[in-house]
Amino acid sequence: MEKSFIIPSVFEENSMLFSKVADNFIDGIRIVHFKEKDYIIGNLALKEGGAPHKLLNSSAEDIDYQLLALSSILIASMGSFLKLEVTIGFPNTTYQLYKKNAEKFFTGSHTIFFDGRTFGKDEIEKVEISVDQVNVITEIEGCSIAVRNTFNEKEDFFIASLGFGTFETALSTNSGIVHRTAYSTKGVSYAVNLLENELQKDYYLNMLTDQQIERAFQRGLIVSNRKKIDITDLRAKALKSYYTEVISPAIRKKFNDEDYVNTKKIYLAGGGAMYPELVELFKKEFQDVLEVLVYPEPFMCAAKGYCLNSLDKARMNDSEKQDKIAYVGIDLGNSNTAIVINTID
């Protein structure tokens, strides 16, 4: 049985006592007694917080990463599974640097306190969850695994992950990622910053956080001085500049003509693949050489691949049939955190 969840990657310190402000745990995450402080996470932070935020491309040593990781572990347990096998990932640029600290943080027993009153429970609850195995792979490997599984893909293909923090790309073969072609560069945040700079010429943005600006970018709408402003045209312009200045040069740099000989497709994943403007730019550039395909629910692609990796590692270790273990993929992104769980019934 597979289940998936997604929460905004934001948090805020908050000592307020809430009483039934959400319908469920996902919308009411409040981690308490964490390093002697209390925090609201995800949707609750967006709803009740003053300046919900997250660092860009943070490591397991950063508090935002730790809080989102613990929230993901809680979600993955689903109130039933106290043992987890987890796969997580990082962009190519930070993978080697962050890998060991992430393994150290996730592995072992976690005692987590959360406030059940936010979603109608009576008290602070305590949960102890054990992460028995942790695997760390690159984000682009996770996306490649998901594509091959979802589409039963046997041929070579290019994979491009359009994240908020990073744009990742590589050539995928049946043997794995061709490392010569693996590359990371600036993510959709580049376009968001372009749009913010344009808006500031005419509007007061009320000191919004990067995450709040990004949500407006996603909506295509921002409110300034109690006026709704359609920003879809500005967004399209910013995305075109991003593609022209960042994405296209990166692909030209890493893929040579020989790479296209036996490759017919490029799959797009990540939240940026939700923007039709970006997808059309890919199609325009590659219309004569590649078919451009968007992964279903592209923001879940990496997490899906991570979950499949956890299952594969379990099979290799003959641990697949153990009771009460959940096999988990956690994509702790800069915009959203995606969690995919598979359990063996």
Side-chain angles (χ1 to χ4, degrees):
M1 179 181 67
E2 181 180 291
K3 290 188 177 181
S4 60
F5 303 89
I6 190 164
I7 61 172
S9 292
V10 291
F11 80 107
E12 186 172 294
E13 183 182 343
N14 188 298
S15 59
M16 186 178 296
L17 298 179
F18 295 102
S19 178
K20 191 61 172 69
V21 292
D23 292 329
N24 51 63
F25 172 71
I26 300 294
D27 292 331
I29 303 174
R30 183 168 183 259
I31 304 293
V32 298
H33 311 329
F34 181 73
K35 298 183 178 180
E36 300 182 352
K37 294 181 180 180
D38 305 332
Y39 297 90
I40 49 178
I41 317 291
N43 289 321
L44 186 60
L46 289 178
K47 179 180 178 181
E48 297 286 356
H53 59 282
K54 180 193 178 298
L55 297 173
L56 198 65
N57 294 333
S58 52
S59 77
E61 294 182 311
D62 297 315
I63 191 168
D64 56 340
Y65 188 100
Q66 293 173 3
L67 286 166
L68 289 165
L70 292 177
S71 299
S72 300
I73 289 171
L74 271 176
I75 292 169
S77 73
M78 297 190 293
S80 300
F81 299 92
L82 302 183
K83 290 186 177 182
L84 310 178
E85 295 196 9
V86 174
T87 297
I88 55 174
F90 289 104
N92 277 301
T93 50
T94 58
Y95 171 72
Q96 295 293 343
L97 182 63
Y98 291 170
K99 180 176 184 289
K100 288 185 178 179
N101 283 335
E103 288 173 337
K104 181 179 178 181
F105 176 79
F106 273 95
T107 304
S109 181
H110 299 269
T111 301
I112 307 171
F113 295 88
F114 66 95
D115 189 352
R117 294 170 294 188
T118 62
F119 54 99
K121 301 293 183 178
D122 294 330
E123 57 188 3
I124 303 293
E125 299 192 28
K126 172 185 174 182
V127 171
E128 293 190 7
I129 300 171
S130 175
V131 178
D132 291 350
Q133 181 174 326
V134 179
N135 307 288
V136 185
I137 62 177
T138 63
E139 178 182 321
I140 207 68
E141 286 178 293
C143 291
S144 176
I145 291 169
V147 167
R148 289 199 176 276
N149 178 271
T150 300
F151 296 100
N152 193 29
E153 185 65 73
K154 303 298 184 184
E155 304 297 325
D156 294 355
F157 59 84
F158 296 114
I159 180 77
S161 176
L162 299 150
F164 180 70
T166 57
F167 168 70
E168 305 279 311
T169 191
L171 173 62
S172 173
T173 72
N174 262 327
S175 302
I177 294 296
V178 178
H179 291 282
R180 168 183 58 81
T181 65
Y183 190 65
S184 297
T185 187
K186 297 178 179 67
V188 177
S189 59
Y190 181 97
V192 175
N193 290 336
L194 289 178
L195 179 134
E196 182 179 8
N197 290 337
E198 285 298 313
L199 287 174
Q200 285 177 335
K201 295 176 182 178
D202 299 308
Y203 304 103
Y204 174 56
L205 299 183
N206 196 29
M207 295 181 288
L208 297 176
T209 66
D210 290 344
Q211 283 72 23
Q212 290 168 326
I213 293 289
E214 189 216 353
R215 302 289 159 180
F217 188 92
Q218 292 173 349
R219 293 192 303 266
L221 176 75
I222 196 166
V223 177
S224 177
N225 195 27
R226 295 187 294 184
K227 293 181 179 178
K228 293 182 178 179
I229 304 156
D230 187 325
I231 59 173
T232 51
D233 288 342
L234 282 175
R235 182 179 70 187
K237 182 180 177 181
L239 287 170
K240 185 175 182 179
S241 294
Y242 170 53
Y243 187 89
T244 303
E245 299 297 324
V246 178
I247 294 176
S248 185
I251 292 174
R252 289 177 182 273
K253 178 179 180 179
K254 298 304 291 185
F255 301 154
N256 61 43
D257 286 345
E258 195 66 23
D259 293 326
Y260 291 89
V261 172
N262 297 314
T263 310
K264 300 177 182 178
K265 302 173 185 176
I266 181 168
Y267 287 93
L268 307 183
M274 299 290 290
Y275 297 110
E277 303 97 322
L278 266 184
V279 176
E280 287 305 311
L281 289 166
F282 273 94
K283 288 182 177 179
K284 183 177 180 180
E285 177 165 359
F286 295 104
Q287 60 185 341
D288 296 327
V289 66
L290 294 175
E291 181 182 6
V292 178
L293 300 167
V294 178
Y295 187 85
E297 294 187 309
F299 47 85
M300 299 300 298
C301 185
K304 168 76 171 180
Y306 297 160
C307 180
L308 289 166
N309 185 74
S310 291
L311 276 169
D312 286 343
K313 294 295 184 183
R315 293 186 181 108
M316 289 171 60
N317 297 328
D318 296 324
S319 61
E320 180 186 0
K321 295 184 179 180
Q322 293 184 33
D323 293 333
K324 293 298 180 182
I325 292 184
Y327 304 94
V328 184
I330 298 173
D331 178 20
L332 207 159
N334 291 293
S335 177
N336 293 297
T337 294
I339 306 104
V340 178
I341 307 110
N342 203 306
T343 57
I344 308 299
D345 295 327

